[in-house]
Structures are given as structure tokens and as C-alpha cells.
């Protein structure tokens, strides 16, 4: 078992298990910080047989969440930040040679007060037109930059990606 592919999120309430992947990392933040760059990162990147998953995780529904009451995932500032995390991370994926012909899926796992499937779909719809779906139709771009954007709850993630469960850490 690849224990080095089980990652604990920053609040140490949940862990995600990418042991069943070809490659995975939670170290983009360290790489960007150590290189003294202004780049932003997604929380996790994982390569499977079919795809590259770029996964951003935000949970404002946990006890002592930093911005639980003021967190507005639909705000322009939050949307711009989520977009920057994708673009900076795909740049890194390309630089290390992982920008293959596999599908690139950007998944935003989002939990927040009063969040539901309708509001997550609305957030997805705000993100989608600002991601490079149209750009990659340019004949000069030789491989896909993104194939799908998903905004999911933890439960939805676990149903869609059962091989990579996101689960509470047991004390």
C-alpha cells in the first residue's frame, strides 16, 4: 500500500486516499513556495490510467472553519482564486511532463453552509467559461488542457470516485 498517497487536508479533519493511482501529489504548495513564486496550487493532483485529476478542496462546514460564516464560494474573488489554482497547477503539470493525452479533470470539492447541488452547479457554470475549453480548440494546441470541470460535495466525490475516498480522520 502506498501510504505516501494518502493525503490529509490542511484542517486535519479529512483524508483522501490516492493509493490506487499511478502518481499523486499534495506537494504543489511546497514546490511553489520553495521556489518563491506567486503561483497558486490545487490541493491534490492524481494520475490514473485514464485521466489527470486536479482536485481543489474547500470545507467551510467543519467546526472552527476559518471563514464559515463569511465564506461565499460564488463571489468573484473566490471564483478567480479557484481559476488561478487551476491555471497555475496545469502549468506545473505541463512542466513536469504530465500533460499527456489523458483527460484532464478539474474537480472542486466544496462543502459550505447551505451548499447544495443547485448552488454547486451554479459555481461550476461560473467557472466553466473562464477555463481553457475554447482555447484548446486552437489548432496550435496539441493536447487537451482540460476536459471537464466538476463541483462536487464530499458525498458526490465519494460516489463518483469510489476508488479515491475522501473520509473523516478517526481520532
Amino acid at each position: 500500500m502506498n501510504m505516501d498517497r494518502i493525503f490529509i487536508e490542511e484542517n486535519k479533519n479529512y483524508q483522501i486516499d490516492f493509493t490506487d493511482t499511478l502518481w499523486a501529489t499534495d506537494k504543489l504548495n511546497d514546490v511553489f513556495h520553495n521556489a518563491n513564486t506567486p503561483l497558486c496550487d490545487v490541493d491534490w493532483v492524481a494520475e490514473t490510467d485514464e485521466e489527470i485529476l486536479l482536485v481543489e478542496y474547500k470545507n467551510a462546514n467543519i467546526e472552527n472553519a476559518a471563514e464559515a460564516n463569511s465564506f461565499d464560494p460564488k463571489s468573484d474573488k473566490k471564483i478567480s482564486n479557484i481559476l488561478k489554482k487551476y491555471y497555475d497547477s496545469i502549468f506545473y503539470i505541463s512542466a513536469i511532463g504530465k500533460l499527456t493525452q489523458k483527460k484532464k479533470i478539474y474537480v472542486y470539492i466544496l462543502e459550505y453552509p447551505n451548499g447544495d447541488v443547485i448552488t454547486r452547479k451554479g459555481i461550476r457554470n461560473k467557472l466553466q467559461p473562464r477555463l481553457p475549453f475554447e482555447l484548446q480548440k486552437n489548432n496550435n494546441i496539441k493536447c487537451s488542457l482540460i476536459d471537464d470541470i466538476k463541483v462536487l460535495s464530499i458525498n458526490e466525490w465519494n460516489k463518483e470516485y469510489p476508488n479515491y475516498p475522501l473520509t473523516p480522520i478517526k481520532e
Side-chain angles (χ1 to χ4, degrees):
M1 182 184 255
N2 288 314
M3 295 301 288
D4 62 333
R5 293 190 195 157
I6 297 176
F7 306 129
I8 298 173
E9 53 85 20
E10 65 185 349
N11 294 306
K12 299 181 180 25
N13 290 309
Y14 283 82
Q15 67 182 21
I16 193 161
D17 185 345
F18 282 123
T19 56
D20 193 23
T21 61
L22 300 175
W23 173 82
T25 187
D26 68 344
K27 301 294 186 218
L28 264 62
N29 184 276
D30 294 344
V31 170
F32 292 169
H33 181 75
N34 291 338
N36 198 27
T37 71
L39 299 174
C40 294
D41 60 283
V42 295
D43 292 301
W44 308 299
V45 180
E47 179 182 11
T48 72
D49 289 333
E50 297 86 29
E51 57 199 11
I52 304 286
L53 298 169
L54 294 98
V55 183
E56 177 61 19
Y57 169 82
K58 176 65 177 171
N59 192 340
N61 269 347
I62 57 173
E63 189 176 327
N64 299 323
E67 22 177 349
N69 294 328
S70 64
F71 180 68
D72 180 7
K74 299 177 292 286
S75 74
D76 287 340
K77 183 178 179 181
K78 287 292 180 197
I79 294 295
S80 292
N81 182 262
I82 296 304
L83 290 163
K84 182 167 175 38
K85 289 177 181 236
Y86 166 80
Y87 280 105
D88 291 355
S89 298
I90 202 73
F91 164 78
Y92 180 78
I93 297 306
S94 176
I96 65 168
K98 293 280 185 191
L99 196 61
T100 66
Q101 293 300 325
K102 292 181 180 182
K103 289 184 177 181
K104 272 64 98 198
I105 313 295
Y106 188 24
V107 183
Y108 183 18
I109 301 172
L110 178 61
E111 293 284 346
Y112 63 101
N114 302 314
D116 60 22
V117 69
I118 302 297
T119 57
R120 284 188 298 278
K121 184 175 181 182
I123 292 164
R124 181 209 172 276
N125 291 344
K126 285 183 106 175
L127 292 166
Q128 194 272 338
R130 295 173 61 189
L131 289 163
F133 291 100
E134 289 300 314
L135 175 66
Q136 68 193 7
K137 292 178 182 176
N138 181 314
N139 289 336
N140 294 327
I141 296 178
K142 302 300 180 206
C143 68
S144 73
L145 299 169
I146 189 165
D147 293 282
D148 201 0
I149 169 71
K150 300 176 183 185
V151 180
L152 305 173
S153 68
I154 292 171
N155 286 339
E156 290 164 339
W157 166 269
N158 286 331
K159 285 178 186 168
E160 194 158 333
Y161 296 97
N163 292 341
Y164 320 116
L166 179 64
T167 56
I169 295 174
K170 296 172 181 63
E171 303 266 335

